Structures are given as C-alpha cells and as structure tokens.
Amino acid sequence: MTPLTRREFLQTTATGAVLTMGVSLGACGGESPPESGGVAFAPDAWIRIDTEGNVLVIVDRSEMGQGVSTSLPMLVAEELDADWSRVRYQFAPANKAYYNSLNGAQITGGSTSVMAAWVPLREAAARARVMLLTAAAEEWGVPVESCRTISGEVIHEETGRRLDFGAVVARAALIPPPGRVTLKDPAEYRLIGRPVARLDLEPHVTGAITFGIDAGPPGALVAVVARCPVFGGRLRSFDATAALGVSGVHSVVEIPEGVAVVASTTWQAIKGREALQVEWDEGPLASLDSAAIESRMHALGNEQGREARRDGAGAAGVGDAAQVIEARYDLPFLAHATMEPMCCTASVTDEGVTVWVPTQAQAAPALFGGGSRGVAAEVAGVSQDRVTIHTTNLGGGFGRRAETDFVREAVAVAKAVEAPVRVLWTREDDMQHDYYRPISHHVLRAGVSDRREVVGWSHHIVAPSILQRYVPSFVPDWATRLAGPLKGGIDPTAVEGAIDLPYAFPNLEVRYTRADLGIPVGFWRSVGHTHTAFVVETFIDELAVAVDRDPVAFRLGLLGNAPRHARVLERAAELSGWGTALPDGWGRGVAVHESFGSFVAQVAEVEVRGTEVHVGRVVCVFDCGVVINPDTVEAQLQGAIVFGLTAALKGAITIKGGRVEQSNFHDYPLLRIDEMPVIEVTLAPNGDAPGGVGEPGTPPIAPAVANAVHAATGTRIRRLPIAL
C-alpha cells in the first residue's frame, strides 16, 4: 500500500482499502459516542481497523511537540499486536468519550496524557485483540485458545494458518466485546520501552503538517484585535474611518475583548489596526507597577497566611531552635512565549459553528468553562451539539492553550461578519495579553539545634491563585473546615512541591497567602513546582552549608522515606562526578524534585564570568516509572531543561502603568543555541505505572544552577532571573 501524506490521510473518503481513514475530524459534537465513520471494525472510541488491516488510533490529547501522537498509538499497538508500519493516528473530536480521567475534561495538561491512557487504552486494545482472535477462531472452527496474534495477524499455532486483521474485521465487529481482559506481561512488550520514530516525523520535516495558524477553510478572512493595553481596562470609543480606508480591510467590529479589524490578509489587518483610532478606559490598574507589586507581596509575606500543612510543632519548632536561618525569595511573572502565537479560525452559520484551533481544551464541564466547544457554543448562542472542533497541531502550549480567550474572539468576529475568520495574535499581542506564570514571594525559616541538626522547617508562600479564576470552586473562601491542601482559600497549584516536601523534619509548617493583583495568571509548564522547587532546593543547600554537610549527603540523610528521590539523586551525583575538582570559576550544584508522578535529579556545572553565568553541563537522571518511548522522554527532558534555563537566566515580565513592558524576544529573550549546555539524560525506569514527562524536567534546573553559582562564587541566589 502506497503511504499516504497527512493531507491525503485526512481527506480520503470511506472506500476500499482506506475505509477507516474517512472518519471525519470533529464529526461528533454531542455527548453520544463518536461515530465510527462506516469503518469495518470500531470496537471503541479509540480504535479503527479497515479491511486492509490498517489501524487508525484516535488520539484524544493535543499534540504540542510532546509526542502523544506516537506514544498513545504505541499503547494501542502493543496490546493489539498491530503491525506498527500500518498504524496511523487522527485527533479526536470534542466529545465526552475523550474526557481525561485524571482531570475530568478533554484537556491536555498536568503531564497526564500517558498516565490517564495507560490502563484504558491498553484495555481497549486488548478487548479488540480478543475480538479479532475470536473471529479468526470462528472462521477456522478452532478453539480461540489455540490462536495468537502477532504483527497484525492472527495465527493458528497447530496448522500455521494466518489471517490478516483486515480479513477478520467484518466478523469481529459482530462479536460482543469481552468484559475483563488480561494485559500483556511487560516481558512480552515489543514496542513499549523501545525507541520508536514519531508518526508525525515526516510531515514535520516536509512541512506538510498543519498548525492552527494554517488551518481553516480556503478564503477565510483574517482579523487582529485591538485590546486594552492596561489590565482590567475597557473600550471607551473608537473611530474606524482610517482603518476602513486601508486596502483590503473588510470591516471593523466591536467585540467584548476590544475592536477587531477584519481584512483579506494578515498584513492588511495589522495595518488597519494601526490606523484605528481607539480610546480606552484604563481603569483602576493604570498606575500599577512592578515596584508596587513587590512591595505588596513582601507585606503579605509578613502576615500569617493560611495553614496548608503542619507536622509536629510546626513553626514553633523553628522558633525554639538554637539557631534560626531565614531567607526570602522572589520569582517574577513569566510569559509562555509559544513559538506559534494564539490563533483560531471559526465559521458561524445557520447549521452551526465550526472551529479550527490549536487547543489544549477541546471540551469540558461547565465547571472548567466548557473548553473550546463550550465557549464557542456560548458566544454563538447555540447548543454544544452544534459545535464542531477541529484540533490542529499546537506550535507550543505550555498551559497557555488550556485557555479559550482566542476561541471566544474568533467565534465572536465570525458571527459578526457572517464569514469564516481566522483571528491571529502578533507576538506583541501574545506577550502582553497572556495568562502569566504567577509571581511569588516566599519566606523560609529553619531551626538548627545545638547538635547541628535541622529540627524545624517553615515555608510561607505568597502568590496569586490560578484556580481561583480557572475553577473557583477548587479554592472556596468559605470552606474553612476542609482538610488538607483544599482548605478554604488555598490553591493547591500554589503550594504543590511544598506541602509534599520529601525531606523528613520533625516540625514542619507550610502556609499560603493569596495575592490578588489584577494580573491574569494561568498554568505555565510545571505550574507551582516552578516556584517551590527553586525555593526548597536552594534553601536545602543553604542549610547543608550551615550544618557543614555535603549537599548531596545532607539530602540523602533526609530522604529516608523517599527512596525514589534518593535513587535518582545518588545516580546523578555518580554520573556527574560529584565531589571532583572543577576549574577555577566553576561550580557544581544539585537539585532533586518530584512532580507529576515523576522524580528528577539534576546536577549543573556552571562557569561564572564576572556577572555572566554560563551553564556548561547538565546531568539529569529521570524516573517516570514505565518508559513508553525513550526517545520522546529524552527529548522532553532536554526541552524542559532549556525551558527552565531560559526562565532562570533571562525570564521576567514586568509591569509599568498597568501594562506589560516586554513585547517581543528582544526584551523577553530565550536561550540561544550558543548558550546551550551539554545535556546528559539518563532514564531510570522501573515497574511502576507511568508518571508525567513533559513538565517534571523544568523545576530542578533553576535551583541546580543557583546552587552551582553559590559553589563558584559564594553568592546565594534568592531572586530570579539570576543576576550577579
């Protein structure tokens, strides 16, 4: 069979050898199970097999570079015993059948894609395999126990007869799915745990792959939106006369988010927006600046906060110690800065709404705002079953595309002009109208006994709340009697990595104060762990020096109840040559952290040249339980380290006059290739169920580098980005 290009794959009609390839994207907007598209064998929501034996896996998570379009089909192909060369994928429509069991919505986030799919996808494939085996056994008139599957075929052991999956799919479709199935023993895996080339590799290389910025019907108009530059501001008035005089400008329409200029091309829309005369009501935040924000954060840090965790005597165990060590830390707002700025194409007709969008949130309950489908339905004034979501590849997500503001804009403009419209954000739009990684201030105090032992730990976190906006019911102010991290007013994403501290201290207390600043905040790769890992791991290093212990040995002495932390830490120390001499001006620093069910230790080797910090080498040891595709895992860790290094060395969003000062990569720089360290990744898999991969590599790198700077210079880093 001649390989299909991606475009042919999606466009092929339901005939002949590629019968299953005709399943249309977004074919089902309601809550009933998605249609099979007339395919010969569609035993569940994820698997389609045609009469030629080609296997199509419906991928229900968004692909933003993390490799789910390969790893999820690997789970299916493993248990199905499919021929990997005949496995393809297609993105799922928006449908409740594809809700993520770990977050209760069709949302890609929290590094949960493989974790959530690990059991359901393998069980679905195992059921399909049993149905294929049963169909072949019936065809031959033999006991099903005498048959087995391998590489897309059913084999009868005694006679050596073989049937391709495609030859039995019609009969298999008539067989009831089995109730319980037995999954493969890991010793039998042919795909899981082995490096597999990504299914989307060729279209990425050839440029055939479709991102959101490319998607939509031919001839769609293009719109850019003028938004108030001040947070919380509103439109007062506008004059569209000059904008409408720009060649190619189709119309100018007011929407709740501002004023949209609609044109035939992107450039014409941008020039039209430049000509637009707008007056804004800048609102109460027009005088807000970073200095005032920091002053407010520090004042809140002096308050008591709300208790999130308490062991032993809590903070009293610190105050009663012979010596008290205190440190304060400040971390800035950060932008997502995805390579593909926000974009969405929408069409609103009497038949319904069609949306082409690079989204992390296809569909969700009302609790989560409904996702892209719910927002599109709300804006268009139709029921959700009249909304079709076409998910494209994402040019980066990092949590930003879990938001739906760009979907809301596109549907509003398309409805107003009664034509398909692609709303595009410029880099400046994207930088200055983000949902930012929250700023945070931390107050750390530790008590040291006369015997040079740490007997108490106190951590007060001051930060805005992501969930207070995104899912308000998660942090109800009234719920003062709730136990654990959901106590009244406590955002679990702000205290993660602090309340689950792995180090054993007899007295421990963690408190949280919510800072309501008026700046929109959202999920940013590894969320709260980006704050807490930096603070915890640099303060632990400081305590190690205070009690005259080696930083690795000190940590290991406190990790008696955390064997997976200890295991990756010991291995990273060994591989990095911990304790060996470095040239003058160089330092070596370490950090270990758990997030999203995975455990990471990193050692950074850093050279300090005057006030410049150069990271020369990073050793990373990673334990995520079962590894699906080692190539993907290693690539994600490398990317996570670069992402974290950019934030540690360069990243800061600052506010002046109620607006973001940064606008593009000239003043919000990313790590460049000539600044890249050598990154050595070692995977330490075990038999545990998979943990997350996309995010856990980011949190440890900033503290590892900061600790290396101290080793090289004696200077403690308590503020990011690092500045000497």
Side-chain angles (χ1 to χ4, degrees):
M1 177 178 165
T2 304
L4 295 172
T5 67
R6 183 176 186 279
R7 295 185 190 278
E8 291 170 335
F9 175 83
L10 294 178
Q11 294 167 353
T12 305
T13 57
T15 57
V18 286
L19 181 67
T20 189
M21 307 309 180
V23 181
S24 64
L25 281 172
C28 184
E31 295 308 324
S32 58
E35 298 289 339
S36 67
V39 68
F41 186 50
D44 50 60
W46 299 284
I47 301 170
R48 310 283 185 261
I49 307 178
D50 68 18
T51 54
E52 295 294 317
N54 300 301
V55 177
L56 178 70
V57 178
I58 308 300
V59 172
D60 54 10
R61 298 293 165 257
S62 301
E63 177 61 78
M64 48 191 142
Q66 82 279 35
V68 291
S69 58
T70 299
S71 57
L72 298 190
M74 285 177 69
L75 298 182
V76 170
E78 184 66 78
E79 287 292 339
L80 187 62
D81 275 334
D83 177 354
W84 182 249
S85 68
R86 292 194 285 175
V87 174
R88 300 292 183 268
Y89 74 93
Q90 181 173 294
F91 295 130
N95 192 281
K96 192 174 181 179
Y98 300 113
Y99 274 19
N100 184 327
S101 62
L102 296 181
N103 61 31
Q106 193 176 344
I107 291 178
T108 304
S111 296
T112 58
S113 294
V114 170
M115 285 193 281
W118 174 242
V119 173
L121 277 192
R122 290 186 302 138
E123 286 185 341
R127 289 189 184 94
R129 177 169 50 82
V130 170
M131 296 164 74
L132 293 166
L133 281 166
T134 304
E138 289 180 356
E139 177 102 359
W140 291 323
V142 300
V144 68
E145 295 80 10
S146 66
C147 303
R148 65 184 178 91
T149 52
I150 186 170
S151 196
E153 294 182 316
V154 182
I155 300 172
H156 183 233
E157 295 279 21
E158 293 182 13
T159 62
R161 285 180 290 183
R162 294 172 175 262
L163 280 174
D164 187 85
F165 283 177
V168 296
V169 289
R171 183 186 289 267
L174 303 176
I175 295 170
R180 303 182 68 177
V181 289
T182 301
L183 299 177
K184 275 187 180 182
D185 187 301
E188 300 174 348
Y189 288 164
R190 297 180 301 109
L191 287 172
I192 292 176
R194 302 191 180 196
V196 174
R198 289 177 56 142
L199 293 176
D200 59 358
L201 181 61
E202 182 178 341
H204 269 102
V205 172
T206 62
I209 205 154
T210 299
F211 291 92
I213 206 166
D214 309 313
L221 297 170
V222 181
V224 295
V225 178
R227 306 169 187 86
C228 183
V230 176
F231 295 113
R234 297 183 301 173
L235 177 67
R236 180 172 288 161
S237 64
F238 70 96
D239 183 347
T241 305
L244 289 169
V246 173
S247 174
V249 170
H250 174 277
S251 55
V252 177
V253 297
E254 180 180 346
I255 60 175
E257 293 74 22
V259 184
V261 178
V262 186
S264 298
T265 69
T266 304
W267 183 248
Q268 291 168 341
I270 291 173
K271 298 306 289 184
R273 183 173 66 174
E274 290 175 356
L276 190 67
Q277 300 297 309
V278 184
E279 184 179 357
W280 303 105
D281 176 358
E282 296 187 346
L285 299 182
S287 61
L288 185 67
D289 62 24
S290 289
I293 290 172
E294 184 164 309
S295 177
R296 171 68 173 155
M297 298 288 285
H298 284 214
L300 291 173
N302 293 329
E303 297 181 2
Q304 186 176 18
R306 296 185 175 184
E307 183 182 291
R309 176 181 171 182
R310 179 187 174 95
D311 296 348
V318 175
D320 293 340
Q323 178 187 5
V324 176
I325 299 171
E326 180 173 321
R328 288 179 175 247
Y329 296 84
D330 290 288
L331 292 89
F333 290 114
L334 292 174
H336 292 82
T338 59
M339 284 291 97
E340 178 187 34
M342 298 305 105
C343 54
C344 178
T345 302
S347 174
V348 180
T349 67
D350 292 340
E351 286 71 38
V353 183
T354 305
V355 177
W356 296 260
V357 60
T359 178
Q360 292 178 243
Q362 287 83 357
L367 174 70
F368 292 94
S372 293
R373 182 179 61 173
V375 163
E378 174 197 335
V379 175
V382 302
S383 59
Q384 291 194 24
D385 60 359
R386 294 179 61 197
V387 176
T388 298
I389 300 294
H390 295 295
T391 302
T392 69
N393 288 271
L394 283 60
F398 313 130
R400 176 61 178 94
R401 286 187 159 96
E403 308 291 346
T404 53
D405 49 334
F406 44 96
V407 179
R408 185 177 295 276
E409 291 179 349
V411 176
V413 178
K415 181 181 179 181
V417 302
E418 299 182 340
V421 176
R422 177 182 299 117
V423 168
L424 291 177
W425 292 37
T426 64
R427 175 61 58 197
E428 289 75 13
D429 294 335
D430 205 55
M431 195 75 70
Q432 298 182 329
H433 298 278
D434 201 348
Y435 287 89
Y436 302 93
R437 195 283 299 270
I439 193 172
S440 66
H441 177 66
H442 301 253
V443 182
L444 272 291
R445 299 172 70 243
V448 179
S449 71
D450 291 331
R451 301 175 60 185
R452 313 304 294 162
E453 294 175 344
V454 179
V455 295
W457 174 282
S458 170
H459 186 175
H460 183 191
I461 301 164
V462 180
S465 171
I466 298 171
L467 291 182
Q468 186 66 41
R469 174 190 63 83
Y470 199 82
V471 194
S473 62
F474 272 35
V475 282
D477 286 324
W478 51 264
T480 56
R481 296 184 180 180
L482 288 178
L486 297 185
K487 286 183 179 180
I490 295 181
D491 184 340
T493 69
V495 297
E496 60 189 359
I499 59 168
D500 49 353
L501 193 75
Y503 301 113
F505 298 114
N507 305 295
L508 184 147
E509 187 169 288
V510 179
R511 290 184 169 271
Y512 170 64
T513 295
R514 191 174 81 220
D516 296 321
L517 304 170
I519 310 297
V521 295
F523 303 106
W524 188 91
R525 191 175 189 170
S526 70
V527 201
H529 294 281
T530 65
H531 300 274
T532 55
F534 174 73
V535 171
V536 167
E537 285 300 294
T538 53
F539 196 56
I540 281 285
D541 231 60
E542 188 163 346
L543 297 182
V545 172
V547 299
D548 196 25
R549 297 288 305 280
D550 172 81
V552 170
F554 180 68
R555 285 174 170 82
L556 290 173
L558 297 169
L559 292 174
N561 297 322
R564 293 177 74 178
H565 287 82
R567 179 168 165 248
V568 294
L569 176 59
E570 287 179 314
R571 185 68 172 140
E574 174 190 350
L575 292 173
S576 68
W578 185 265
T580 59
L582 289 171
D584 289 344
W586 283 77
R588 191 180 280 124
V590 66
V592 60
H593 192 73
E594 173 196 359
S595 61
F596 308 99
S598 294
F599 302 77
V600 191
Q602 293 173 3
V603 176
E605 292 181 0
V606 169
E607 181 186 15
V608 179
R609 307 165 182 166
T611 60
E612 294 184 3
V613 176
H614 169 70
V615 183
R617 178 190 182 210
V618 177
V619 174
C620 174
V621 177
F622 185 62
D623 169 12
C624 65
V626 172
V627 171
I628 309 304
N629 188 346
D631 281 356
T632 298
V633 175
E634 183 173 354
Q636 281 298 289
L637 288 165
Q638 292 167 340
I641 288 168
V642 173
F643 197 81
L645 277 176
T646 290
L649 300 174
K650 301 171 182 288
I653 288 292
T654 56
I655 308 299
K656 185 176 181 179
R659 64 197 79 198
V660 169
E661 292 189 276
Q662 291 71 30
S663 61
N664 210 312
F665 293 128
H666 70 286
D667 52 9
Y668 192 82
L670 306 182
L671 200 72
R672 295 179 176 271
I673 195 166
D674 62 347
E675 300 171 297
M676 272 292 295
V678 174
I679 298 177
E680 302 169 12
V681 174
T682 296
L683 304 183
N686 59 55
D688 291 343
V693 170
E695 296 171 275
T698 293
I701 189 60
V705 170
N707 291 335
V709 169
H710 175 264
T713 66
T715 300
R716 283 288 172 198
I717 304 299
R718 296 188 179 130
R719 173 186 289 270
L720 292 181
I722 295 171
L724 296 176

